[in-house]
Amino acid sequence: MKPDKLYGMLVRFKILALLTVLTVELPAIGSTDNKDSSRYESSVLHLTVTRAAPDPESPWALQNTDISGNAGVVISENRVLTQASLVSRAVYIQAQRVDDVEKIPMEIVFADYEANLAILAPVKGHRLGNVKIMNIGQDVPLGADVFLIAIENERQLQRISLRTLEIGLRESSIGGISLPIYNLGGQVRSTCKSDPIVRNGLLVGLCVGVLESQPQVIAASVIKHFLGDNLTPALYRGFPSMGVSFVPVRSPWHRKLLGIAEGKGALRVSRIFDTSPFADCMKDDDVLTAFDSVAIDHRGFYRHPMWGPVPMRHYIAEKYSGSPLTIHFKRNHIAKECKRNLIRFSGQDSLVPGATNEGGVPHVIFGGLVFRELSVDYLMVFGRDWRQASPQDLLFFYTYLNLPSLKRERKLVMSNVLGDEFNAGYQKLSNLVLSSVNGLPVTSIEGLKTQLNLPGILRAGVEYAQFDFLDGTQIVLPYKGTSDAHKRIGSTYAVTNTSSFFSRL
Amino acid sequence: MTRRVVRILSFAVVLFGALTSMVSTANPLALRRSVFRIETISQDLNFVNPWRLQAPNMSSGTGFYIGQGRILTNAHVVANASSITVRRDGDAGQMIAYVQYIGHDVDLAILGVEDPSYLKGVEALVLGSVPRLRSPVTTVGYPMGGDQVSMTDGVVNRISYQTYVHTEVDDHLLVQVDSAINPGNSGGPVFQGRNVVGVAFQALTRAQNAGFIIPVPVVQRFLTDCSDGKYDGVPDWGVETQATVLNNAASALFYQVPKNDHRGVLISRVQEWSPAKGIVQRGDVLMAISGKSIGVDGKVDFEGERVNFEALYDLRLIGDRVRFEVLRDGAIRELTVIAGVGKAHQYSGLIYPKRPRFTVFGGIVFTALTRSVMELWGDSWEKRAPLLMRYLLSNPFDFELTGQRDQIEELVIISDILVNTNNSFLEISSPVVDKINGEKVTSVKMLHDALHSLKEETLRLDFLFSQEPWLLNAKDLRAADEENNRRYGVSQQFWLEPYSIDGAITREVKR
């Protein structure tokens, strides 16, 4: 896997408030052995994943395929658990025991890219033979010794001793789900590739990355939550969200105004998304005091039976979408409560959607002008430091205006111009945010196509498409001649997929 | 002129002169007694704690006598100066000088001297014209490396319209020469024969012998502007244009450009404050300025070269009537715009006031968002500073996205919190103050007045693009000020003077 791609997968999540840092001594640096690791050879499989992702710079084309190796854990008969981001956009997957030469073709049964977990199964007509199921254990306390099982050179398992140091939460890009993730102490290679974490022979986590030298591990409770769901797209409930942003209140005077008694915990509601199930009963400046009957401390934490104080979001993540939640809150010093069923948000609900893992990149080419939806996929074109290096207009939408919407409205960007005599005069333009087409706003690529199918602007007997951009730039091109231009452009720039070009219905 | 933020990162502000034994067409050596070494002690401003100044800094540059007791130099040579002295080549003594006029937007300043008799007998240098490409020039000045005047020869490579790095945002005419321009040359004359054809002022640091001089038309305009006793500044017209559109034959037809008329740029935006607002409009095609045709590339013929048409607007004085030829609905219209002062400049470019505007209340330091503040994040602030601040600086009038309003005089940020028991819990989630007790903050002065006339017990501050307002006890904050000022050495609680293009309240030594 290309480093940029891996980075992209990791940055979809930001690590929130790492907390409860115990003063735990590191284990005698990651002692490694091969002897005991052999017992896992029938449970930890080597996956060879061939992926072909769309080229973010040329959305009509695929990038060169890349082949990566990572781990998968046999968790039931003919079912293998792995990290979703490592199998996204896979065109071919094979599984094999490290001590065997036989490779079994696999396919994705179900993946939750927000939770970063996927289930694989052998392709029809194949079976996983000579494997042993690894059962799922419980979450482990902080300071506990665990082992990471790594695959070395595709041929050998290695057992590395580590210790759970702290528990944090990672949050999807939209204030949606917040899942617990361990930081482990010890020494591992520079990255994890879905390496299982085991304790007493049980799977207690999946290592999905390394941050500042610390392995990042999805907790067993998250895996159990995932596996306990109905793993079919229509019935999967997934990890829920409230659709409410809240912040601790630090100012003593503000606490007094809100009626928060000294020493009492509370969170101030800072924003309720339109899509929230609580939007009809709560509003900004309400003060949350408890979820169900679980009280909040002054930081917005609750006491987890194993991990101690943990941010309240984790309490939500333990539930399923559709589960009821009662929020106790105060408004104007008066106690109130609101009970609603939780819903599932997706990174794709936001104005600037997160990295996509399936399907192509929505785009359309009109006379050489390449239009696409503003997305994290596109921003990542600007390199590893895209959060600094991307054009300011685009970053502004991502950073400040990136609210969720069930309408899934998008901002469209004209990323570049494929130069041709047809678009002479406009060829240096790039990365412009589209405001309107023929005077009307558009909020998706499909909407753009629809708009372009309507009558354009007539001037001197010629019908034009007029594109207006946020910075004032205007492009006008005639409809007549686009067909010939598209042929030339397709040939010159190897745009082989004719559906990339706009053609009038 | 379009004042969009343009930075040329590879430029360093430098000036110098160079030396050479060869003189181009006449002998400027004879004129060296009219060229002065200028020594300055300056203290840069502190934009985090604006009541403080940075440590004193000694620097030197060059200036030359232009008659009537005036020495011309660069603004950046004397910016923020506490002390200025001038000395002629071969003189043992120095003379105290002061700033008569300063134009930071064009990086020029006029100095006077304490004893006018010091200049008696000094030959006034004569301004020439714009030098031709490939013609020889001689740069004279006091670059680093010695005390004597130095001369270097070169030729003119380019005449263009680019950013003057002193403010980092002002684009004007400039001339590129290949004679060495080094630190210390700044403000020095560049000769062609006995005539001055420019003022050395900046160089490319990543290129060898790529120096820039301010050409005579810009200098002459500055002198004319000052002739009424006040520098008004270069006009800004707040209109953005889109060049090359009419290279597209179909687009030319759409905008109804007459066949075989290969002129014009498309007007893409007219700012609300623009003096051209209501005169020209988005979608107009700008065909000519002051009788000169504008090519589809946005350039006009100027002294035998092609330069951005805005260079012509720049050379007009505030209040001048500027004629434009505009194509609208297929008909050519003659329009006149009264040249006016720009609005964006004062905080999108580096500023040189006596003090940044600021006010301190309860240990919270409020100041204006300026490009100068951004330099706190170092040279790479355009990547490192908070996105919101970068965006607002680059797009000060982007009301659509930022929700700002035209009546906002300046954006106010929190530059520091002087920690005490009444504010120690505060965290800055967004530095840009949006409202005070529900009222839109329009300037530091407005905020200062509101803070000091608060009747309510509660001070509520809302921040741009943040859902985390601060609600504080105003009485407690007010009561903490005295102790806070003592503890943190706050010598001045506020400074609210308006900024001025002419440097009238700048801190440079003035008589």
Side-chain angles (χ1 to χ4, degrees):
Chain A
M1 173 183 287
K2 292 179 181 176
D4 275 0
K5 202 71 184 172
L6 176 61
Y7 175 78
M9 298 299 175
L10 293 175
V11 296
R12 286 192 307 128
F13 300 100
K14 54 186 176 184
I15 302 301
L16 267 195
L18 290 174
L19 46 114
T20 323
V21 182
L22 298 185
T23 51
V24 177
E25 287 186 17
L26 289 178
I29 297 291
S31 54
T32 301
D33 66 68
N34 302 330
K35 283 184 292 184
D36 284 350
S37 60
S38 59
R39 62 188 279 208
Y40 299 108
E41 284 174 353
S42 55
S43 304
V44 180
L45 305 182
H46 178 258
L47 301 178
T48 305
V49 182
T50 305
R51 303 177 350 138
D55 184 342
E57 294 186 64
S58 305
W60 52 86
L62 291 177
Q63 291 177 313
N64 293 339
T65 55
D66 75 29
I67 300 176
S68 64
N70 49 276
V73 184
V74 181
I75 45 120
S76 68
E77 191 179 355
N78 280 323
R79 289 288 185 271
V80 172
L81 176 72
T82 192
Q83 186 179 334
S85 59
L86 294 180
V87 293
S88 70
R89 300 190 183 284
V91 289
Y92 193 60
I93 305 172
Q94 294 171 295
Q96 71 178 126
R97 284 177 52 127
V98 294
D99 58 350
D100 197 350
V101 292
E102 188 185 7
K103 292 186 175 182
I104 311 295
M106 306 288 284
E107 61 187 3
I108 300 171
V109 174
F110 187 79
D112 180 341
Y113 293 99
E114 299 289 331
N116 202 7
L117 291 170
I119 294 291
L120 310 181
V123 171
K124 194 175 180 183
H126 295 269
R127 286 188 57 78
L128 287 175
N130 195 21
V131 294
K132 184 181 165 188
I133 293 168
M134 184 184 285
N135 290 317
I136 316 293
Q138 303 295 324
D139 282 335
V140 293
L142 299 180
D145 290 332
V146 294
F147 294 101
L148 179 144
I149 310 298
I151 299 174
E152 292 297 321
N153 303 321
E154 304 181 14
R155 285 285 167 268
Q156 193 173 32
L157 295 183
Q158 198 171 55
R159 196 179 74 159
I160 302 165
S161 62
L162 302 168
R163 186 169 292 174
T164 52
L165 285 185
E166 56 191 9
I167 189 80
L169 291 180
R170 67 179 186 189
E171 186 180 80
S172 66
S173 56
I174 279 305
I177 61 171
S178 302
L179 303 176
I181 192 158
Y182 295 108
N183 279 355
L184 300 187
Q187 193 173 55
V188 293
R189 59 193 178 195
S190 58
T191 185
C192 280
K193 293 184 173 181
S194 196
D195 304 320
I197 305 294
V198 298
R199 190 180 192 220
N200 300 326
L202 299 173
L203 180 70
V204 295
L206 276 189
C207 183
V208 294
V210 176
L211 192 67
E212 295 176 353
S213 301
Q214 292 189 328
Q216 307 288 298
V217 173
I218 295 175
S221 55
V222 176
I223 296 171
K224 282 187 163 181
H225 187 293
F226 173 69
L227 295 176
D229 211 329
N230 190 324
L231 299 181
T232 56
L235 299 173
Y236 184 70
R237 291 175 293 166
F239 295 85
S241 168
M242 297 167 58
V244 178
S245 291
F246 36 80
V247 291
V249 183
R250 300 185 185 90
S251 160
W253 186 250
H254 195 177
R255 290 172 64 85
K256 183 180 171 187
L257 293 172
L258 292 173
I260 306 170
E262 202 169 331
K264 289 287 183 185
L267 295 171
R268 179 184 149 270
V269 172
S270 56
R271 169 174 275 164
I272 300 179
F273 300 126
D274 296 342
T275 49
S276 169
F278 297 93
D280 65 334
C281 62
M282 299 188 66
K283 58 183 189 180
D284 290 0
D285 271 346
D286 283 348
V287 180
L288 312 188
T289 54
F291 292 73
D292 295 333
S293 56
V294 180
I296 306 169
D297 75 8
H298 66 284
R299 298 165 295 179
F301 291 6
Y302 80 106
R303 182 158 285 280
H304 186 277
M306 179 178 288
W307 298 321
V310 175
M312 201 66 203
R313 288 185 187 282
H314 176 252
Y315 178 78
I316 312 294
E318 289 186 322
K319 295 175 175 285
Y320 282 99
S321 300
S323 305
L325 175 76
T326 301
I327 296 181
H328 300 268
F329 64 98
K330 284 186 175 179
R331 181 181 298 161
N332 300 328
H333 301 225
I334 298 169
K336 292 177 175 288
E337 65 177 48
C338 179
K339 184 179 180 181
R340 295 288 184 274
N341 290 337
L342 294 167
I343 60 171
R344 181 178 181 224
F345 281 102
S346 159
Q348 299 303 305
D349 294 335
S350 51
L351 183 72
V352 184
T356 52
N357 297 285
E358 293 165 341
V361 177
H363 68 281
V364 68
I365 302 171
F366 181 95
L369 315 179
V370 181
F371 293 95
R372 49 193 306 163
E373 295 177 357
L374 177 59
S375 65
V376 172
D377 278 334
Y378 183 59
L379 290 171
M380 285 166 62
V381 166
F382 298 95
R384 286 179 69 99
D385 62 342
W386 60 267
R387 285 185 170 81
Q388 284 75 42
S390 302
Q392 275 189 10
D393 280 356
L394 308 189
L395 269 184
F396 195 84
F397 280 104
Y398 170 75
T399 307
Y400 296 110
L401 302 171
N402 194 12
L403 299 177
S405 156
L406 291 180
K407 293 180 188 168
R408 295 204 167 183
E409 292 186 340
R410 300 283 191 260
K411 279 290 165 189
L412 299 194
V413 179
M414 192 198 74
S415 56
N416 57 313
V417 178
L418 303 175
D420 179 75
E421 61 195 66
F422 185 76
N423 53 42
Y426 300 110
Q427 294 165 3
K428 289 182 180 175
L429 300 175
S430 64
N431 295 311
L432 300 175
V433 178
L434 188 63
S435 294
S436 66
V437 176
N438 296 339
L440 293 172
V442 287
T443 56
S444 68
I445 286 294
E446 285 309 311
L448 172 58
K449 290 177 183 173
T450 304
Q451 190 60 40
L452 287 171
N453 267 314
L454 298 174
I457 295 172
L458 269 179
R459 186 71 59 87
V462 178
E463 185 187 12
Y464 287 87
Q466 176 179 313
F467 302 92
D468 288 284
F469 298 90
L470 192 67
D471 71 343
T473 300
Q474 187 174 75
I475 298 178
V476 288
L477 289 174
Y479 281 85
K480 189 179 175 185
T482 51
S483 181
D484 289 343
H486 291 164
K487 282 178 193 160
R488 287 193 303 271
I489 290 165
S491 167
T492 306
Y493 297 93
V495 186
T496 51
N497 189 348
T498 53
S499 66
S500 290
F501 293 106
F502 171 77
S503 62
R504 221 157 195 179
L505 296 176
Chain B
M1 179 177 68
T2 302
R3 301 284 185 186
R4 303 197 67 189
V5 176
V6 179
R7 269 198 104 190
I8 302 177
L9 293 172
S10 55
F11 279 28
V13 181
V14 242
L15 290 188
F16 309 101
L19 85 74
T20 175
S21 57
M22 301 299 294
V23 174
S24 48
T25 54
N27 192 350
L29 203 58
L31 302 171
R32 73 184 192 278
R33 295 279 290 166
S34 300
V35 181
F36 295 80
R37 177 183 169 91
I38 298 172
E39 292 185 347
T40 305
I41 298 174
S42 59
Q43 282 184 279
D44 289 341
L45 302 170
N46 182 327
F47 286 88
V48 177
N49 294 163
W51 56 92
R52 296 195 176 103
L53 292 173
Q54 310 276 15
N57 178 46
M58 271 186 76
S59 60
S60 68
T62 303
F64 58 98
Y65 189 58
I66 54 172
Q68 299 176 310
R70 301 174 300 169
I71 294 170
L72 186 68
T73 186
N74 283 140
H76 77 260
V77 170
V78 294
N80 292 328
S82 311
S83 160
I84 304 169
T85 56
V86 296
R87 180 176 62 79
R88 280 198 296 176
D89 187 41
D91 276 4
Q94 293 180 319
M95 175 56 60
I96 293 171
Y98 60 91
V99 175
Q100 284 185 338
Y101 301 96
I102 190 162
H104 292 288
D105 57 348
V106 288
D107 199 3
L108 289 169
I110 296 171
L111 309 183
V113 293
E114 192 173 67
D115 179 2
S117 68
Y118 179 73
L119 298 171
K120 195 173 178 185
V122 178
E123 184 178 349
L125 299 183
V126 177
L127 297 178
S129 56
V130 177
R132 299 286 170 191
L133 281 187
R134 304 305 301 163
S135 64
V137 291
T138 301
T139 304
V140 180
Y142 294 85
M144 60 186 178
D147 282 343
Q148 285 79 39
V149 76
S150 161
M151 301 188 193
T152 52
D153 285 348
V155 297
V156 173
N157 284 334
R158 187 178 295 164
I159 297 169
S160 60
Y161 182 78
Q162 289 183 35
T163 304
Y164 280 30
V165 297
H166 180 50
T167 61
E168 296 187 354
V169 295
D170 288 290
D171 295 353
H172 303 297
L173 272 180
L174 51 68
V175 174
Q176 184 178 334
V177 297
D178 68 0
S179 55
I181 291 186
N182 292 305
N185 274 121
S186 290
V190 177
F191 288 98
Q192 207 157 55
R194 291 183 62 83
N195 289 341
V196 174
V197 293
V199 179
F201 81 122
Q202 66 189 30
L204 280 176
T205 55
R206 291 184 188 173
Q208 287 189 328
N209 295 340
F212 296 95
I213 66 175
I214 302 172
V216 167
V218 177
V219 176
Q220 198 63 263
R221 190 217 160 276
F222 172 69
L223 297 176
T224 306
D225 191 331
C226 297
S227 62
D228 62 354
K230 182 175 181 294
Y231 178 64
D232 296 318
V234 175
D236 194 351
W237 78 315
V239 174
E240 292 174 21
T241 56
Q242 195 180 333
T244 76
V245 172
L246 302 176
N247 273 332
N248 188 295
S251 298
L253 194 62
F254 179 88
Y255 294 110
Q256 302 177 64
V257 178
K259 276 187 179 173
N260 303 321
D261 192 342
H262 303 294
R263 296 183 298 158
V265 290
L266 182 67
I267 291 181
S268 58
R269 183 181 279 183
V270 181
Q271 302 287 5
E272 285 297 318
W273 53 266
S274 167
K277 180 81 180 173
I279 300 171
V280 299
Q281 61 190 41
R282 183 167 187 268
D284 284 351
V285 179
L286 205 55
M287 307 294 276
I289 175 172
S290 301
K292 290 204 170 190
S293 289
I294 300 173
V296 293
D297 58 354
K299 293 184 176 174
V300 293
D301 288 330
F302 179 81
E303 303 278 342
E305 301 302 325
R306 287 187 64 73
V307 298
N308 189 307
F309 79 92
E310 291 173 323
L312 298 186
Y313 190 86
D314 277 9
L315 293 174
R316 308 306 293 265
L317 296 171
I318 303 296
D320 277 0
R321 298 167 66 85
V322 186
R323 283 187 301 116
F324 287 101
E325 202 175 292
V326 161
L327 178 69
R328 186 184 300 165
D329 300 329
I332 296 282
R333 295 165 188 237
E334 294 276 350
L335 303 173
T336 300
V337 173
I338 308 295
V341 180
K343 183 174 177 182
H345 174 270
Q346 58 181 234
Y347 55 90
S348 61
L350 293 176
I351 58 167
Y352 300 89
K354 185 168 185 174
R355 286 264 189 279
R357 274 197 289 277
F358 75 97
T359 185
V360 184
F361 186 81
I364 306 167
V365 184
F366 301 91
T367 189
L369 174 61
T370 60
R371 178 171 286 248
S372 301
V373 171
M374 304 298 276
E375 304 228 324
L376 297 171
W377 281 272
D379 288 342
S380 57
W381 65 265
E382 285 175 318
K383 283 190 172 183
R384 295 174 56 205
L387 174 64
L388 180 60
M389 295 167 72
R390 287 187 275 139
Y391 187 85
L392 289 168
L393 263 186
S394 305
N395 304 276
F397 302 105
D398 185 353
F399 311 129
E400 189 180 342
L401 287 193
T402 63
Q404 297 302 284
R405 296 289 177 271
D406 195 32
Q407 68 267 28
I408 290 184
E409 185 184 329
E410 65 194 349
L411 293 161
V412 179
I413 62 165
I414 292 178
S415 66
D416 200 9
I417 297 176
L418 310 174
V419 179
N420 59 54
T421 53
N422 294 305
N423 63 25
S424 61
F425 45 83
L426 295 176
E427 289 184 10
I428 301 174
S429 61
S430 164
V432 184
V433 185
D434 188 27
K435 291 175 184 169
I436 175 169
N437 285 12
E439 193 175 352
K440 194 83 180 166
V441 172
T442 56
S443 67
V444 175
K445 185 173 187 311
M446 175 267 169
L447 178 67
H448 172 87
D449 292 344
L451 286 168
H452 290 279
S453 59
L454 266 184
K455 298 285 187 291
E456 301 90 338
E457 211 175 357
T458 298
L459 164 64
R460 177 177 175 131
L461 295 173
D462 285 278
F463 300 90
L464 214 51
F465 291 102
S466 167
Q467 278 70 48
E468 298 184 40
W470 290 357
L471 280 84
L472 306 165
N473 184 313
K475 191 177 159 193
D476 289 349
L477 288 175
R478 201 176 286 122
D481 266 343
E482 192 176 328
E483 167 64 14
N484 225 46
N485 292 350
R486 188 189 56 73
R487 182 181 297 166
Y488 290 96
V490 180
S491 55
Q492 195 167 11
Q493 195 82 14
F494 60 89
W495 179 268
L496 304 169
E497 294 295 324
Y499 302 146
S500 170
I501 194 74
D502 70 348
I505 54 97
T506 60
R507 208 159 40 76
E508 295 87 15
V509 183
K510 286 181 178 284
R511 175 172 269 184

